[in-house]
Amino acid sequence: MLYDYLGFVFEHGQALVDGLWITLKLLLLSSLGGFLLALPLAVARVSPNRTLAALARGYSALFRGTPLLVQIFILYYGFSQFEAVRASPAWFVLADAFNCALLALTLNIAAYMAEDLRAGIIGVPHGEKEAALAYGMGRFGSYVHIILPRAIGIAAPALGNEVVSQLKASALASVITVLEMTGVARRFSAQSYSTDPLIVAGLLYVAVTLLLSLLVRLAERRINCHQPR
């Protein structure tokens, strides 16, 4: 059995590497983009402005309340049915399966990260917020220099879990013909009528998850290095 797995890896190694690279691109780009989008969403969630807070709450409810698979289908298959979309600049993004998968993953993880960061902002000690204002910082300055960095540290474990979960969520990109790791394994499995390619892909996911978990833990320690263990 082990010989069969090794034989598959040696025979189709380049295709697996290409699929793994696409998986990592989806993971890294969507996680980074989602984090950057989550920052203003989290600030809006705790804003005294009811309109901003309601819009951010609606975004979170929409993307957390619907399956990621449905979001991918809507972006790739749903919008393409409208002539206005096909004639708009947005079609340069939505016409490509990889871009649709990346956009869906980014918008989805942003909703979850925003909630994690919102909890982090709420968890920042009130005294630190008052100290920033007493030091002469305005609302914007206190968020940039004090509140958000502190909130990121508080939310770091939850944010790390979102990134690890995003690795497994990226496998859904294969349903719209993106040949990431799962897509490559499914293609070879259909050709050979064997589950060996899927098992090999599963083992690769485990290896990447373990490495990613280690990197996330190191990042958490780095971010919170000033905090007592």
Side-chain angles (χ1 to χ4, degrees):
M1 185 67 69
L2 179 59
Y3 178 79
D4 294 336
Y5 297 155
L6 293 176
F8 173 78
V9 171
F10 287 132
E11 183 178 357
H12 303 289
Q14 185 57 53
L16 287 173
V17 169
D18 293 340
L20 177 60
W21 172 237
I22 293 177
T23 293
L24 293 177
K25 283 201 298 183
L26 286 171
L27 171 66
L28 296 176
L29 293 177
S30 65
S31 297
L32 178 59
F35 176 75
L36 294 177
L37 180 58
L39 287 172
L41 284 172
V43 174
R45 285 283 278 118
V46 298
S47 171
N49 186 312
R50 293 185 178 181
T51 301
L52 283 179
L55 289 174
R57 192 181 303 113
Y59 178 95
S60 178
L62 175 64
F63 284 96
R64 296 175 72 216
T66 56
L68 175 57
L69 183 60
V70 172
Q71 297 165 21
I72 293 175
F73 279 154
I74 290 175
L75 285 174
Y76 188 62
Y77 295 114
F79 287 150
S80 63
Q81 299 178 13
F82 300 98
E83 180 62 32
V85 174
R86 294 197 299 271
S88 69
W91 186 242
F92 290 101
V93 175
L94 299 177
D96 183 76
F98 177 86
N99 290 338
C100 283
L102 177 59
L103 180 59
L105 288 167
T106 300
L107 295 176
N108 184 268
I109 195 175
Y112 288 92
M113 285 186 165
E115 290 301 310
D116 296 334
L117 288 170
R118 180 186 72 87
I121 292 173
I122 295 174
V124 175
H126 190 66
E128 295 184 17
K129 300 175 183 178
E130 290 183 336
L133 295 176
Y135 192 71
M137 294 183 181
R139 184 174 178 82
F140 179 80
S142 62
Y143 263 96
V144 171
H145 298 290
I146 302 297
I147 299 176
L148 283 180
R150 190 78 166 84
I152 292 172
I154 294 173
L159 293 174
N161 288 336
E162 302 294 358
V163 174
V164 174
S165 297
Q166 187 77 336
L167 172 65
K168 291 170 284 187
S170 67
L172 293 176
S174 63
V175 301
I176 56 171
T177 71
V178 177
L179 288 179
E180 44 71 66
M181 196 155 55
T182 298
V184 171
R186 287 176 59 189
R187 186 182 66 178
F188 286 129
S189 181
Q191 291 174 352
S192 63
Y193 299 99
S194 170
T195 59
D196 290 350
L198 295 174
I199 294 174
V200 171
L203 293 174
L204 287 174
Y205 274 112
V206 171
V208 175
T209 299
L210 291 175
L211 177 60
L212 188 59
S213 299
L214 176 60
L215 294 176
V216 165
R217 183 173 299 179
L218 291 175
E220 290 175 12
R221 290 181 180 178
R222 177 65 178 174
I223 293 172
N224 294 314
C225 61
H226 59 288
Q227 296 292 332
R229 294 185 182 181

